[in-house]
Amino acid sequence: MIKKTACAFVAGAVMAMTAQSAVADGHGEITVGYFLEWPMPFLAAKASGAYDEALGMKVNWVSFETGTAMSAAMASGDVQISVSQGVPPFVVASSGGQDIQIVDVAVSYSENDNCVVAEALEIDKTSAGELAGKKVAVPLGTAAHYGFLRQMDHFGVDVASLQVVDMAPPEGAAALSQGAVDFACGWGGGLARMKEYGNVLLTGTEKQELGILVFDVTSAPASYIAENGETVAKFLKVTADANAEWAANQSPEMLAVIAEQSGMDADAAGASMATFEFPTVEEQLSDAWLGGNAASFMKGVADVFVGAGSIDSALDSYVDTVNTGPLKAASEM
């Protein structure tokens, strides 16, 4: 496990500079994972070529449907950086021994990750106990899975009594629309479609009050960060600049580009982004996020997954899975 020490980061930066000289010949490139139907400011920078320019190399972008698929792609070496990976998939991978680290908080979105119950059942938070024995679509090992487990625990519904089907949000929405499942959990465009056929049990605010945080991170293999610290820092700087531009202007022009890049229309993208929060670099480095709370929260997620039988064991601590070195470097660029 690579510790987040200054010397490790400096050594990584030196190696990255050596790598950068090879990149100058035009041979260097990097592959980055992201989600479609998940509109974020970084997509405007993706479209403008800002990442390629800042990194001095070609950035290849590959879309995924779940954060668990991102973990697999990073493990195989096919992807070097994943943007907006959910914390639960990250926790599942790191708990299983995959040496990956968090380098920034991509987005916080309590309102944009939830479970939706079929309208015909007429079940809400006052009658959620009636979900026992029902069939539910859940993308396993994701933020939606964690939120589902915590909500069922809150409502006293035994997960063992449910028929849980592993489905990505778009498939879950389709199954809910066809009456193939009684409720479904997901995010983004999938969640928006689910809501056309039912209702949520708890609002984002109600979930936060129960300690159910929902946020995504930018993650990368620890070995890649150690060897390419400067590249990672430059990547995070472009992301931070895009977030700052969105926070300052939220221009229709920028929204149009983000929508196009995420495969959505502008209205749908705008509606999703209205439920998103993009913490500043300073906020991310504070105790509320990567400075302390994130590692504690991940331990809580891992323990819930162990209790649910979703993973075999949890790490004693997740402090070493957070590497703030590149983000600190980005803040000084």
Side-chain angles (χ1 to χ4, degrees), residues 229-256:
E230 188 181 22
T231 298
V232 177
K234 287 176 177 175
F235 185 92
L236 299 180
K237 170 65 173 166
V238 175
T239 301
D241 288 348
N243 286 345
E245 184 185 342
W246 176 253
N249 303 314
Q250 298 199 9
S251 70
E253 294 78 13
M254 188 174 184
L255 177 60

mmCIF file of all heavy atoms in Angstrom, residues 229-256:
data_model
loop_
_atom_site.group_PDB
_atom_site.id
_atom_site.type_symbol
_atom_site.label_atom_id
_atom_site.label_comp_id
_atom_site.label_asym_id
_atom_site.label_seq_id
_atom_site.Cartn_x
_atom_site.Cartn_y
_atom_site.Cartn_z
ATOM 1 N N GLY A 229 2.574 11.286 -10.753
ATOM 2 C CA GLY A 229 1.943 12.270 -9.874
ATOM 3 C C GLY A 229 1.655 13.599 -10.540
ATOM 4 O O GLY A 229 0.588 14.197 -10.328
ATOM 5 N N GLU A 230 2.580 14.061 -11.356
ATOM 6 C CA GLU A 230 2.391 15.366 -12.007
ATOM 7 C C GLU A 230 1.244 15.303 -13.025
ATOM 8 O O GLU A 230 0.442 16.243 -13.130
ATOM 9 C CB GLU A 230 3.684 15.806 -12.701
ATOM 10 C CG GLU A 230 3.599 17.237 -13.216
ATOM 11 C CD GLU A 230 4.864 17.676 -13.932
ATOM 12 O OE1 GLU A 230 5.628 16.819 -14.396
ATOM 13 O OE2 GLU A 230 5.079 18.896 -14.031
ATOM 14 N N THR A 231 1.170 14.213 -13.760
ATOM 15 C CA THR A 231 0.089 14.037 -14.736
ATOM 16 C C THR A 231 -1.266 14.055 -14.036
ATOM 17 O O THR A 231 -2.216 14.707 -14.485
ATOM 18 C CB THR A 231 0.272 12.707 -15.503
ATOM 19 O OG1 THR A 231 1.498 12.762 -16.231
ATOM 20 C CG2 THR A 231 -0.876 12.464 -16.469
ATOM 21 N N VAL A 232 -1.366 13.327 -12.924
ATOM 22 C CA VAL A 232 -2.621 13.279 -12.173
ATOM 23 C C VAL A 232 -2.983 14.666 -11.653
ATOM 24 O O VAL A 232 -4.140 15.099 -11.722
ATOM 25 C CB VAL A 232 -2.543 12.265 -11.009
ATOM 26 C CG1 VAL A 232 -3.837 12.285 -10.197
ATOM 27 C CG2 VAL A 232 -2.284 10.855 -11.535
ATOM 28 N N ALA A 233 -1.978 15.394 -11.136
ATOM 29 C CA ALA A 233 -2.217 16.748 -10.619
ATOM 30 C C ALA A 233 -2.736 17.668 -11.721
ATOM 31 O O ALA A 233 -3.677 18.443 -11.510
ATOM 32 C CB ALA A 233 -0.937 17.313 -10.014
ATOM 33 N N LYS A 234 -2.144 17.589 -12.903
ATOM 34 C CA LYS A 234 -2.587 18.422 -14.027
ATOM 35 C C LYS A 234 -4.019 18.063 -14.424
ATOM 36 O O LYS A 234 -4.819 18.944 -14.750
ATOM 37 C CB LYS A 234 -1.647 18.237 -15.225
ATOM 38 C CG LYS A 234 -0.289 18.892 -15.047
ATOM 39 C CD LYS A 234 0.619 18.581 -16.230
ATOM 40 C CE LYS A 234 1.967 19.291 -16.094
ATOM 41 N NZ LYS A 234 2.883 18.891 -17.191
ATOM 42 N N PHE A 235 -4.337 16.782 -14.399
ATOM 43 C CA PHE A 235 -5.695 16.325 -14.724
ATOM 44 C C PHE A 235 -6.697 16.926 -13.739
ATOM 45 O O PHE A 235 -7.746 17.452 -14.134
ATOM 46 C CB PHE A 235 -5.748 14.790 -14.675
ATOM 47 C CG PHE A 235 -7.061 14.214 -15.116
ATOM 48 C CD1 PHE A 235 -7.281 13.855 -16.434
ATOM 49 C CD2 PHE A 235 -8.101 14.032 -14.194
ATOM 50 C CE1 PHE A 235 -8.510 13.334 -16.839
ATOM 51 C CE2 PHE A 235 -9.329 13.508 -14.589
ATOM 52 C CZ PHE A 235 -9.523 13.166 -15.914
ATOM 53 N N LEU A 236 -6.358 16.862 -12.450
ATOM 54 C CA LEU A 236 -7.266 17.385 -11.416
ATOM 55 C C LEU A 236 -7.409 18.898 -11.513
ATOM 56 O O LEU A 236 -8.470 19.447 -11.203
ATOM 57 C CB LEU A 236 -6.759 16.993 -10.026
ATOM 58 C CG LEU A 236 -6.673 15.488 -9.743
ATOM 59 C CD1 LEU A 236 -6.166 15.239 -8.329
ATOM 60 C CD2 LEU A 236 -8.029 14.819 -9.951
ATOM 61 N N LYS A 237 -6.352 19.579 -11.953
ATOM 62 C CA LYS A 237 -6.396 21.037 -12.111
ATOM 63 C C LYS A 237 -7.400 21.416 -13.202
ATOM 64 O O LYS A 237 -8.210 22.350 -13.032
ATOM 65 C CB LYS A 237 -4.994 21.546 -12.468
ATOM 66 C CG LYS A 237 -4.932 23.008 -12.905
ATOM 67 C CD LYS A 237 -5.311 23.969 -11.793
ATOM 68 C CE LYS A 237 -5.056 25.414 -12.246
ATOM 69 N NZ LYS A 237 -5.709 26.389 -11.329
ATOM 70 N N VAL A 238 -7.393 20.688 -14.321
ATOM 71 C CA VAL A 238 -8.350 20.962 -15.407
ATOM 72 C C VAL A 238 -9.778 20.746 -14.907
ATOM 73 O O VAL A 238 -10.672 21.553 -15.165
ATOM 74 C CB VAL A 238 -8.063 20.064 -16.633
ATOM 75 C CG1 VAL A 238 -9.144 20.262 -17.702
ATOM 76 C CG2 VAL A 238 -6.692 20.383 -17.220
ATOM 77 N N THR A 239 -9.975 19.658 -14.156
ATOM 78 C CA THR A 239 -11.304 19.369 -13.597
ATOM 79 C C THR A 239 -11.761 20.487 -12.669
ATOM 80 O O THR A 239 -12.906 20.959 -12.746
ATOM 81 C CB THR A 239 -11.276 18.044 -12.803
ATOM 82 O OG1 THR A 239 -10.874 16.984 -13.676
ATOM 83 C CG2 THR A 239 -12.656 17.718 -12.230
ATOM 84 N N ALA A 240 -10.860 20.927 -11.780
ATOM 85 C CA ALA A 240 -11.189 21.984 -10.818
ATOM 86 C C ALA A 240 -11.534 23.295 -11.529
ATOM 87 O O ALA A 240 -12.454 24.007 -11.126
ATOM 88 C CB ALA A 240 -10.020 22.199 -9.855
ATOM 89 N N ASP A 241 -10.788 23.594 -12.601
ATOM 90 C CA ASP A 241 -11.060 24.821 -13.361
ATOM 91 C C ASP A 241 -12.443 24.752 -14.020
ATOM 92 O O ASP A 241 -13.169 25.747 -14.061
ATOM 93 C CB ASP A 241 -9.976 25.040 -14.428
ATOM 94 C CG ASP A 241 -8.642 25.473 -13.830
ATOM 95 O OD1 ASP A 241 -8.608 25.819 -12.628
ATOM 96 O OD2 ASP A 241 -7.629 25.451 -14.558
ATOM 97 N N ALA A 242 -12.793 23.579 -14.543
ATOM 98 C CA ALA A 242 -14.112 23.412 -15.176
ATOM 99 C C ALA A 242 -15.217 23.567 -14.131
ATOM 100 O O ALA A 242 -16.243 24.219 -14.384
ATOM 101 C CB ALA A 242 -14.206 22.040 -15.844
ATOM 102 N N ASN A 243 -14.999 22.984 -12.949
ATOM 103 C CA ASN A 243 -15.992 23.115 -11.870
ATOM 104 C C ASN A 243 -16.160 24.572 -11.462
ATOM 105 O O ASN A 243 -17.277 25.041 -11.213
ATOM 106 C CB ASN A 243 -15.552 22.297 -10.642
ATOM 107 C CG ASN A 243 -15.728 20.803 -10.844
ATOM 108 O OD1 ASN A 243 -16.409 20.365 -11.757
ATOM 109 N ND2 ASN A 243 -15.100 20.019 -9.994
ATOM 110 N N ALA A 244 -15.034 25.297 -11.381
ATOM 111 C CA ALA A 244 -15.076 26.710 -10.979
ATOM 112 C C ALA A 244 -15.813 27.553 -12.025
ATOM 113 O O ALA A 244 -16.595 28.445 -11.674
ATOM 114 C CB ALA A 244 -13.654 27.240 -10.795
ATOM 115 N N GLU A 245 -15.577 27.231 -13.292
ATOM 116 C CA GLU A 245 -16.265 27.978 -14.359
ATOM 117 C C GLU A 245 -17.768 27.732 -14.286
ATOM 118 O O GLU A 245 -18.569 28.661 -14.432
ATOM 119 C CB GLU A 245 -15.724 27.556 -15.729
ATOM 120 C CG GLU A 245 -16.343 28.370 -16.868
ATOM 121 C CD GLU A 245 -15.917 27.897 -18.251
ATOM 122 O OE1 GLU A 245 -14.909 27.182 -18.368
ATOM 123 O OE2 GLU A 245 -16.623 28.251 -19.215
ATOM 124 N N TRP A 246 -18.168 26.493 -14.054
ATOM 125 C CA TRP A 246 -19.589 26.173 -13.951
ATOM 126 C C TRP A 246 -20.212 26.876 -12.753
ATOM 127 O O TRP A 246 -21.304 27.443 -12.848
ATOM 128 C CB TRP A 246 -19.794 24.662 -13.840
ATOM 129 C CG TRP A 246 -21.233 24.279 -13.629
ATOM 130 C CD1 TRP A 246 -21.814 23.815 -12.482
ATOM 131 C CD2 TRP A 246 -22.299 24.380 -14.583
ATOM 132 N NE1 TRP A 246 -23.166 23.607 -12.663
ATOM 133 C CE2 TRP A 246 -23.494 23.946 -13.943
ATOM 134 C CE3 TRP A 246 -22.363 24.786 -15.918
ATOM 135 C CZ2 TRP A 246 -24.730 23.902 -14.592
ATOM 136 C CZ3 TRP A 246 -23.602 24.742 -16.562
ATOM 137 C CH2 TRP A 246 -24.764 24.310 -15.902
ATOM 138 N N ALA A 247 -19.517 26.866 -11.615
ATOM 139 C CA ALA A 247 -20.037 27.502 -10.403
ATOM 140 C C ALA A 247 -20.225 29.001 -10.604
ATOM 141 O O ALA A 247 -21.191 29.593 -10.107
ATOM 142 C CB ALA A 247 -19.078 27.258 -9.235
ATOM 143 N N ALA A 248 -19.322 29.610 -11.373
ATOM 144 C CA ALA A 248 -19.365 31.062 -11.573
ATOM 145 C C ALA A 248 -20.414 31.493 -12.589
ATOM 146 O O ALA A 248 -21.066 32.525 -12.411
ATOM 147 C CB ALA A 248 -17.986 31.557 -12.014
ATOM 148 N N ASN A 249 -20.594 30.700 -13.654
ATOM 149 C CA ASN A 249 -21.442 31.163 -14.753
ATOM 150 C C ASN A 249 -22.684 30.327 -15.044
ATOM 151 O O ASN A 249 -23.736 30.870 -15.355
ATOM 152 C CB ASN A 249 -20.598 31.243 -16.037
ATOM 153 C CG ASN A 249 -19.390 32.140 -15.871
ATOM 154 O OD1 ASN A 249 -19.509 33.225 -15.338
ATOM 155 N ND2 ASN A 249 -18.216 31.676 -16.316
ATOM 156 N N GLN A 250 -22.552 28.998 -14.976
ATOM 157 C CA GLN A 250 -23.631 28.089 -15.380
ATOM 158 C C GLN A 250 -24.261 28.551 -16.691
ATOM 159 O O GLN A 250 -25.491 28.628 -16.826
ATOM 160 C CB GLN A 250 -24.694 27.986 -14.271
ATOM 161 C CG GLN A 250 -24.132 27.429 -12.983
ATOM 162 C CD GLN A 250 -25.184 26.893 -12.025
ATOM 163 O OE1 GLN A 250 -26.358 26.766 -12.363
ATOM 164 N NE2 GLN A 250 -24.755 26.559 -10.825
ATOM 165 N N SER A 251 -23.405 28.850 -17.656
ATOM 166 C CA SER A 251 -23.886 29.395 -18.930
ATOM 167 C C SER A 251 -24.616 28.343 -19.758
ATOM 168 O O SER A 251 -24.289 27.151 -19.707
ATOM 169 C CB SER A 251 -22.703 29.933 -19.743
ATOM 170 O OG SER A 251 -21.897 28.863 -20.207
ATOM 171 N N PRO A 252 -25.617 28.774 -20.513
ATOM 172 C CA PRO A 252 -26.348 27.852 -21.392
ATOM 173 C C PRO A 252 -25.407 27.185 -22.400
ATOM 174 O O PRO A 252 -25.614 26.038 -22.776
ATOM 175 C CB PRO A 252 -27.356 28.764 -22.105
ATOM 176 C CG PRO A 252 -27.526 29.937 -21.190
ATOM 177 C CD PRO A 252 -26.180 30.134 -20.544
ATOM 178 N N GLU A 253 -24.384 27.949 -22.820
ATOM 179 C CA GLU A 253 -23.431 27.409 -23.792
ATOM 180 C C GLU A 253 -22.659 26.229 -23.199
ATOM 181 O O GLU A 253 -22.490 25.187 -23.832
ATOM 182 C CB GLU A 253 -22.437 28.492 -24.247
ATOM 183 C CG GLU A 253 -23.057 29.629 -25.037
ATOM 184 C CD GLU A 253 -23.787 30.664 -24.165
ATOM 185 O OE1 GLU A 253 -23.608 30.637 -22.929
ATOM 186 O OE2 GLU A 253 -24.522 31.483 -24.736
ATOM 187 N N MET A 254 -22.195 26.395 -21.957
ATOM 188 C CA MET A 254 -21.449 25.324 -21.295
ATOM 189 C C MET A 254 -22.364 24.126 -21.044
ATOM 190 O O MET A 254 -21.972 22.969 -21.259
ATOM 191 C CB MET A 254 -20.849 25.826 -19.981
ATOM 192 C CG MET A 254 -19.901 24.835 -19.316
ATOM 193 S SD MET A 254 -19.096 25.557 -17.843
ATOM 194 C CE MET A 254 -17.962 24.205 -17.381
ATOM 195 N N LEU A 255 -23.594 24.404 -20.627
ATOM 196 C CA LEU A 255 -24.558 23.332 -20.368
ATOM 197 C C LEU A 255 -24.822 22.535 -21.644
ATOM 198 O O LEU A 255 -24.921 21.297 -21.614
ATOM 199 C CB LEU A 255 -25.873 23.894 -19.820
ATOM 200 C CG LEU A 255 -26.989 22.863 -19.584
ATOM 201 C CD1 LEU A 255 -26.549 21.807 -18.573
ATOM 202 C CD2 LEU A 255 -28.272 23.553 -19.125
ATOM 203 N N ALA A 256 -24.924 23.244 -22.774
ATOM 204 C CA ALA A 256 -25.197 22.571 -24.049
ATOM 205 C C ALA A 256 -24.087 21.583 -24.396
ATOM 206 O O ALA A 256 -24.356 20.461 -24.858
ATOM 207 C CB ALA A 256 -25.348 23.612 -25.165
#
